[in-house]
Amino acid sequence: MNPISEKISSIGVVPVIKLNNPERDAADLAAALCKGGVPVAEVTFRAAGAAKAIKLMSEAQPDMLVGAGTVLTTAQVDEAIEAGAKFIVTPGLDIEIVKYCQEKGIEIYAGCTTPTDYHAAYKLGLEVLKFFPAEQSGGLAKIKAMSAPFPMFKVMPTGGISLKNLGEYFSCPVIAACGGSYMVTADLIDNGKWDEITELCEKSVQIVKEARAK
Ligand code: 3PG
């Protein structure tokens, strides 16, 4: 794995964030995540101010790995890079975007759940995939089944992951990290519940640590 994937994997969980008010919340959110032992974020382009959020979070916590999620166009890749994103996440596998990211030298995690997706990802030279939407696509059982013909990939499942099932995923060696919005919900962010976010991060990190030690 390249250094970005290594770092994400060592942290173990990736908060998937939709930030509606970056000027107000970006710095506090970045601090809360880092304090909880999760210095990584996938800031999704589902909110209009995503690029601004990436920029502000990166400035507030320079050691944090801030990436862009729900990237749907090469124009958004440019916007994300310009804002300082360290990685790109796409919900599906779009060959044009993957190649564009490779040309630009930025790590890309493309959403894959089927043999056809994995096969295309293999031909594109990808090593780590986003497995999305994880629970809805068959969860850990499907990830294990997919790793039989495609043992070369590590995956980052996202979608339907919470403190309840996080540990289970790490019983499987192909898991690089798990993503989720459960520690950064709209309620937590909009109501400034930074301590709760930190606590959820701490709990997540602990679960990953214990599961990996088994
Ligand atoms: C994503 O884009 O990765 C998902 O929407 C996050 O899924 P979750 O909200 O079920 O954690």
Side-chain angles (χ1 to χ4, degrees):
M1 281 193 286
N2 73 61
I4 300 283
S5 300
E6 290 285 359
K7 184 164 179 199
I8 293 175
S9 177
S10 74
I11 298 164
V13 284
V14 180
V16 178
I17 296 161
K18 179 169 180 262
L19 209 47
N20 295 317
N21 194 338
E23 275 87 357
R24 186 192 65 190
D25 296 328
D28 287 337
L29 176 59
L33 296 172
C34 289
K35 195 172 166 203
V38 180
V40 59
E42 176 189 328
V43 180
T44 66
F45 269 81
R46 287 171 218 186
K52 181 105 207 161
I54 291 167
K55 187 167 187 289
L56 293 175
M57 287 179 77
S58 306
E59 282 170 2
Q61 299 290 331
D63 293 333
M64 191 174 187
L65 209 49
V66 183
T70 320
V71 171
L72 301 178
T73 63
T74 54
Q76 286 176 336
V77 174
D78 288 337
E79 249 191 276
I81 292 174
E82 170 76 27
K86 301 287 190 307
F87 61 91
I88 300 290
V89 184
T90 56
L93 181 97
D94 181 84
I95 292 174
E96 184 197 3
I97 295 182
V98 171
K99 287 189 172 164
Y100 192 72
C101 289
Q102 289 171 331
E103 270 165 39
K104 296 267 167 187
I106 187 161
E107 190 61 19
I108 167 144
Y109 304 109
C112 294
T113 52
T114 67
T116 308
D117 295 339
Y118 273 52
H119 198 167
Y122 175 70
K123 288 174 113 179
L124 287 162
L126 298 178
E127 292 181 338
V128 182
L129 311 175
K130 169 166 169 141
F131 187 87
F132 174 77
E135 281 292 294
Q136 299 85 343
S137 305
L140 191 55
K142 176 109 184 251
I143 290 171
K144 285 181 180 165
M146 294 291 292
S147 74
F150 297 104
M152 65 292 281
F153 291 115
K154 295 270 182 206
V155 300
M156 294 204 283
T158 307
I161 294 178
S162 67
L163 289 180
K164 286 198 186 80
N165 57 7
L166 180 63
E168 262 168 57
Y169 275 91
F170 284 91
S171 66
C172 178
V174 306
I175 305 300
C178 283
S181 62
Y182 66 88
M183 74 294 260
V184 284
T185 60
D187 168 53
L188 292 169
I189 293 175
D190 293 341
N191 296 302
K193 297 180 182 173
W194 311 121
D195 291 346
E196 253 181 79
I197 290 176
T198 296
E199 206 179 302
L200 284 162
C201 288
E202 285 167 350
K203 281 186 183 153
S204 304
V205 167
Q206 189 58 28
I207 289 171
V208 174
K209 202 173 148 200
E210 281 168 18
R212 279 180 166 159
K214 277 187 190 155

